[in-house]
Amino acid sequence: VILGESMVSGGAGRWLQNNEQRYADVVAQLINTCQEKPVEYLNKGIGGNAISPRSPGYRQSTKPSALERYKTDVIDLSPDLFILAYGSNDMVAGMPAQDFRADMAHIISDVKKACAPMIVLTTVYYMTGWKSWPPFDKGSIELTLEYNDCIRSLASEFDCVVADVWAAEGGADWLIHYDGAHSNKVGCLLIGHRVFEAICQHASGLT
């Protein structure tokens, strides 16, 4: 199960040609090259989603938020692998990093207690359009790095795996769609391979 925002749900006909180019689909395809039995892949991405109702962008977000839906979209499905990919929408809305961290911790803690999957946390993606319409006009590289530090500390605290997708894209503007917010096909390939790399380094069963 992967829970996330628009980069997870996909942009067929917009920043991608089809949903098979989504990085989550890339991860599933890579896992399937290693297993005799195909993975059951459940994409729980919602475009414009927020981490919780206290995110400054919640009012204009697509609901329910991650905190309002993780029980039905993750715990009730009892996955072996759970990828949690949040931060972009909350960061550009200026949500304090400590509040974002607390909401992520709540989700991670509950999921671990309920079904104990392997949990992968992605760092916030690289983007070029830091300023959009209010309230989504408060993003910056500095705030992204603060969020990413929070995500790494969460992984350490809860024994999760970090997939550093920010580093995978290396700050290359040409990996970002002209909307400034989403990774293009090549960017998604890099992100997908970075997530797969992180899984492989912590899951010997794939070999």
Side-chain angles (χ1 to χ4, degrees):
V1 173
I2 180 165
L3 189 74
E5 312 150 322
S6 57
M7 275 287 290
V8 171
S9 64
R14 291 176 289 168
W15 61 91
L16 296 174
Q17 293 169 311
N18 54 65
N19 280 340
E20 286 69 35
Q21 294 175 352
R22 297 179 297 191
Y23 81 84
D25 290 60
V26 172
V27 174
Q29 292 160 14
L30 288 169
I31 292 174
N32 284 341
T33 66
C34 304
Q35 298 189 157
E36 293 181 2
K37 183 179 179 181
V39 67
E40 183 183 0
Y41 158 52
L42 300 171
N43 187 309
K44 295 296 180 177
I46 295 180
N49 210 218
I51 190 69
S52 77
R54 65 171 165 176
S55 177
Y58 177 76
R59 177 177 290 185
Q60 297 185 36
S61 71
T62 307
K63 302 170 185 64
S65 68
L67 200 62
E68 295 170 309
R69 66 190 179 97
Y70 74 92
K71 291 181 180 178
T72 55
D73 283 359
V74 182
I75 290 176
D76 288 356
L77 300 173
S78 191
D80 298 307
L81 171 64
F82 170 42
I83 303 172
L84 182 57
Y86 271 86
S88 295
N89 293 335
D90 306 299
M91 181 274 298
V92 295
M95 183 179 190
Q98 63 269 23
D99 290 347
F100 171 78
R101 189 189 191 283
D103 290 338
M104 287 276 283
H106 185 109
I107 295 171
I108 294 166
S109 177
D110 274 8
V111 171
K112 283 183 70 73
K113 291 174 184 176
C115 51
M118 177 181 183
I119 300 178
V120 178
L121 308 180
T122 65
T123 53
V124 177
Y125 321 102
Y126 179 66
M127 63 177 67
T128 55
W130 303 104
K131 305 297 181 183
S132 187
W133 62 90
F136 305 106
D137 58 351
K138 300 172 180 66
S140 67
I141 290 179
E142 292 74 21
L143 187 55
T144 301
L145 295 177
E146 186 178 351
Y147 264 58
N148 287 347
D149 284 344
C150 283
I151 291 167
R152 294 186 189 96
S153 70
L154 282 167
S156 177
E157 178 180 350
F158 291 99
D159 192 26
C160 301
V161 175
V162 176
D164 194 348
V165 302
W166 165 271
E169 292 189 285
D173 291 353
W174 52 90
L175 299 174
I176 311 303
H177 185 264
Y178 59 76
D179 66 10
H182 301 97
S183 301
N184 59 28
K185 175 182 176 180
V186 179
C188 284
L189 281 170
L190 286 174
I191 291 170
H193 279 262
R194 179 56 58 95
V195 175
F196 179 67
E197 174 187 280
I199 293 169
C200 288
Q201 290 172 350
H202 294 84
S204 60
L206 283 173
T207 62

